[in-house]
Structures are given as C-alpha cells and as structure tokens.
C-alpha cells in the first residue's frame, strides 16, 4: 500500500513543510533535534492539523486541506509508538492490550489478547503493571497494543532512545524480526545514523522543518551531496575546497590536493571524509597520501579515535578525526595517512 505525505504548517518560531511517499517499506526520517521529525508524525496521526497539504494511505484520504477532509485520529488506522510508550499506568499488560480491542466480543478479545501476549513474549507478564516492567518489556506491550487494531501505517518515534546500549541492540533485532511480518507502511523517526541505515530502505532528511534530501538510504550515505546531509549521516571531517582539475580538488583547510574517482560536478565547495576511511601509509608515494601529526588518541573498547593534523601546506591543518579498529592500529602513530579517491565526498554547502 502506498503512503503519500505533503504537509505544511507554521507555529511561532518554526515552520514545517515536507513531502514524501513510500510503498510498502520502512521509511526513515532522520534529522537533528527540533528539525520537525516528531511533528511530521503527529500530522500523519492526526494529533496536529496541517494548514496545507494532503495525506493519503492508498486510495484512502486522511487529510486534504483543499477538500476540507480531516479524518479523526481514532479512525485513521495509524499506529503511533511514542518515545515513552504512553501505556496506561493503572492498567495491567492484558488490560493495556485489551483496550484496543473494545470492538470485539469478550471471547474474541480474550483470544486475540492471548495471541498478542504470546507473539511478543509477554505470556507471564499479563497481570503486571507498566511500572513493574523493564523498558524493553514496556516497548513490547506498546507494540502489541498498537497491532491489536491492525493499523495500515505504523509510526515509530525514536523507539530506542530511552534504552541502554545492550537492550537497544536486542530490541532492534526483535523489531526487525517483527517488521518482516508486518504488511503496512512503517515510518521510523530517529537521530541515529546507525538506526536509519539498519532499518530503512528509504530515507527522508529534515533540517529546520524542511526536507533537504530523500532517496535510497545507502545512496545518501555513500554520496550525500549536501554538507548538512553529510553531517547528519555521521561525517566528521570537512574542508573548504576548490577544483584544480577534472578529477582533482584542493582541500583548503587541510592544505592538500586530492584525486577523486569521478569528474567533479560544478559548484562543489566542500569535501568530506568519514573518520573510518583513512588508511595508514608507509610513505608519501601513493595517491592521496599526506604526512600527519597526531594530537591526541582516545581508546575505546574495540577501536581508537585519533585526532590529527595534516602537513600538506605551509601550516598545519585544523583537527581531523580518524577512527580505526584495534586490529589495524596498535597505538603507534603512522607518519602518513591516505584516503582512496572513491571515499572522498564532494559536497555543496547550499541546497541547489
């Protein structure tokens, strides 16, 4: 089933104007805090009413400002998983799930509640209250309650933000397994590049209430195009740049000339290099190789974060980040680093 979204609204100090579509897939909305991610979900769910636009699920129109259509939230068949799950604290797990099945006869409601308890591994928790559950258990209850009334669209608003790392990764795997069996459209809001990449085939990137990029997730990570999109997809290293040849560009902040794998498009004014894309080199004789000075090293459990300066020009560059696994780097700083031509991001600073 297709999902078509085009909404616009102004609040004091903030404006939202986004449009995108999906087709039986998990679509991600990625952006910094305050970019309009959650507000977009609230417009789809009917919690907020746009001033302009249209929202349709297949042939069913949920909102159309021009036609004066605005379906009530409870009639939209849209499931919304809030960040804090919004369980009723005075109801047990069974009651929280059962309240979404009020249209069924008592026997049918009991049967479906039992099935959902089993589907989400909650069989032994039916008589507990939300305060007696872990964060992961609360999330499973909230998902079971949402799925009880069989929504056509599932909205997930940063579902892992309140969980610790171990539980977050465990629940990500559980949610991926569940979504394999879900036939509707899914929209996942996140500010995590890892979550966006892991879950979403298609990605919409928001900045200050505007859609600045959208498309295939892997393509946007490999070639973000915009400086702001590169930042939101996790790139840490940027330099002002000017073209010096069809496939060469000078990084002004680093004082080095670099070769790229393709002809440089017009109006490129920045380059980016992801922190994990540098490689140790033995001497300055390979393409895109340059001498460095290590400024500081931070050790993680499985990798090193190295802060270094380049020496390509008359003076040292600003700080550049290198992230490298411990199996590739024993803590002894190399004299040179290099970057492969295909790993240099060619970027515009302004959306064109």
């Amino acid at each position: 089933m297709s999902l078509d979204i085009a909404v616009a609204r102004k609040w004091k100090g903030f404006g939202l104007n986004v449009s995108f579509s999906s087709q039986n897939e998990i679509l991600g909305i990625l952006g910094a805090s305050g970019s309009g991610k959650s507000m977009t979900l609230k417009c789809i769910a009917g919690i907020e009413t746009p001033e302009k636009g249209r929202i349709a699920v297949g042939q069913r129109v949920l909102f159309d400002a021009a036609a004066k259509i605005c379906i009530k939230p409870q009639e939209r068949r849209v499931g919304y998983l809030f960040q804090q799950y919004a369980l009723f604290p005075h109801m047990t797990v069974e009651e929280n799930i059962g309240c979404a099945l009020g249209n069924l006869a008592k026997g049918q409601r009991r049967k479906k509640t039992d099935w959902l308890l089993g589907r989400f591994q909650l069989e032994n928790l039916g008589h507990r209250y939300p305060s007696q559950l872990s964060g992961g258990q609360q999330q499973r209850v909230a998902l079971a309650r949402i799925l009880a009334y069989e929504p056509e669209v599932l909205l997930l608003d940063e579902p892992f933000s309140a969980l610790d790392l171990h539980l977050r990764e465990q629940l990500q795997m559980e949610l991926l397994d569940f979504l394999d069996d879900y036939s509707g459209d899914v929209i996942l809001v996140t500010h995590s590049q890892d979550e966006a990449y892991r879950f979403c085939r298609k990605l919409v990137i928001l900045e200050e209430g505007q859609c600045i990029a959208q498309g295939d997730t892997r393509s946007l990570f490999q070639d973000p195009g915009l400086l702001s999109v590169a930042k939101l997809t996790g790139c840490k290293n940027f330099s002002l740049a000017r073209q010096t040849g069809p496939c060469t560009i000078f990084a002004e902040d680093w004082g080095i000339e670099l070769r790229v794998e393709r002809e440089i498009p017009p109006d490129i004014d920045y380059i980016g290099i992801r922190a994990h894309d540098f490689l140790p080199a033995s001497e300055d004789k390979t393409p895109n190789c340059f001498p460095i000075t290590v400024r500081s090293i931070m050790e993680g459990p499985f990798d090193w974060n190295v802060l270094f300066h380049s020496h390509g020009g008359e003076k040292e560059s600003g700080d550049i980040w290198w992230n490298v696994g411990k199996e590739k780097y024993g803590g002894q700083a190399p004299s040179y680093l290099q970057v492969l031509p295909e790993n240099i991001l060619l970027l515009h600073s302004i959306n064109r």
Side-chain angles (χ1 to χ4, degrees):
M1 186 173 296
S2 63
L3 177 64
D4 296 292
I5 309 296
V7 294
R9 180 174 168 178
K10 291 183 179 180
W11 291 266
K12 186 177 181 179
F14 181 77
L16 181 70
N17 190 348
V18 299
S19 62
F20 56 87
S21 62
S22 68
Q23 184 78 38
N24 283 343
E25 59 194 350
I26 305 175
L27 179 142
I29 300 180
L30 178 67
S33 297
S35 61
K37 305 185 302 297
S38 295
M39 197 59 67
T40 301
L41 293 194
K42 290 177 181 178
C43 288
I44 298 170
I47 299 170
E48 294 284 348
T49 303
E51 295 167 343
K52 300 177 182 178
R54 187 175 186 272
I55 301 170
V57 180
Q59 299 301 312
R60 197 163 60 90
V61 178
L62 307 184
F63 173 81
D64 190 323
K68 300 189 184 304
I69 297 172
C70 188
I71 303 299
K72 295 178 180 179
Q74 59 269 31
E75 297 174 0
R76 294 195 176 198
R77 295 189 66 187
V78 172
Y80 196 140
L81 182 65
F82 293 90
Q83 292 182 29
Q84 301 302 323
Y85 313 134
L87 298 174
F88 297 118
H90 61 286
M91 291 185 180
T92 64
V93 168
E94 289 182 350
E95 291 168 341
N96 264 281
I97 297 173
C99 72
L101 299 168
N103 59 324
L104 298 180
K106 185 176 181 180
Q108 292 176 305
R109 186 162 63 247
R110 176 73 266 172
K111 184 176 180 180
K112 188 159 186 179
T113 297
D114 288 343
W115 181 84
L116 286 164
L117 288 169
R119 174 66 182 83
F120 288 91
Q121 302 176 15
L122 298 166
E123 302 98 321
N124 300 321
L125 303 175
H127 297 292
R128 292 192 185 182
Y129 290 90
S131 62
Q132 298 172 311
L133 304 176
S134 69
Q137 290 167 342
Q138 289 182 30
Q139 185 184 89
R140 291 204 295 271
V141 175
L143 275 170
R145 184 178 65 182
I146 289 169
L147 272 296
Y149 63 91
E150 301 176 355
E152 294 178 337
V153 179
L154 184 58
L155 308 178
L156 307 175
D157 193 353
E158 302 201 32
F160 310 108
S161 61
L163 305 174
D164 61 50
L165 180 61
H166 171 71
L167 187 57
R168 186 186 314 149
E169 293 179 344
Q170 177 185 340
L171 288 179
Q172 284 176 351
M173 295 302 295
E174 290 181 7
L175 184 58
L176 278 170
D177 181 57
F178 159 73
L179 292 176
D180 281 341
D181 298 328
Y182 179 67
S183 59
D185 283 279
V186 179
I187 298 180
L188 170 69
V189 154
T190 182
H191 61 264
S192 165
Q193 304 95 13
D194 290 342
E195 288 176 13
Y197 196 90
R198 188 173 298 168
F199 276 85
C200 307
R201 181 184 305 171
K202 185 177 177 181
L203 201 58
V204 173
I205 298 181
L206 298 188
E207 184 177 61
E208 296 181 353
Q210 307 291 315
C211 176
I212 60 170
Q214 58 181 293
D216 176 78
T217 298
R218 281 155 180 77
S219 297
L220 285 173
F221 273 77
Q222 291 168 3
D223 185 15
L226 275 174
L227 177 63
S228 54
V229 174
K231 290 178 179 179
L232 287 168
T233 56
C235 187
K236 293 182 178 180
N237 301 309
F238 303 96
S239 172
L240 280 166
R242 55 180 169 83
Q243 186 175 354
T244 55
C247 297
T248 56
I249 197 162
F250 185 75
E252 296 187 3
D253 295 325
W254 304 334
I256 53 178
E257 186 175 66
L258 298 167
R259 176 168 293 276
V260 301
E261 68 169 347
R262 58 190 172 96
E263 189 169 330
I264 298 170
D267 302 323
I268 293 294
D269 52 357
Y270 273 86
I271 64 166
I273 301 175
R274 297 191 185 276
H276 58 268
D277 280 337
F278 293 104
L279 300 170
S282 57
E283 55 182 326
D284 191 6
K285 292 183 179 179
T286 54
N288 295 349
C289 182
F290 49 88
I292 70 165
T293 297
V294 172
R295 194 170 77 78
S296 65
I297 301 175
M298 293 180 290
E299 182 180 6
F302 310 108
D303 57 10
W304 300 91
N305 283 294
V306 181
L307 196 62
F308 70 90
H309 296 163
S310 68
H311 290 281
E314 298 179 355
K315 60 180 181 179
E316 288 188 345
S317 72
D319 292 338
I320 308 174
W321 286 96
W322 175 33
N323 178 261
V324 58
K326 287 187 174 179
E327 75 281 1
K328 297 180 180 179
Y329 174 61
Q332 182 65 38
S335 299
Y336 297 89
L337 287 179
Q338 73 170 127
V339 59
L340 300 177
E342 61 266 28
N343 290 331
I344 297 171
L345 305 178
L346 300 174
L347 304 170
H348 297 282
S349 59
I350 302 174
N351 195 0
R352 301 177 191 278

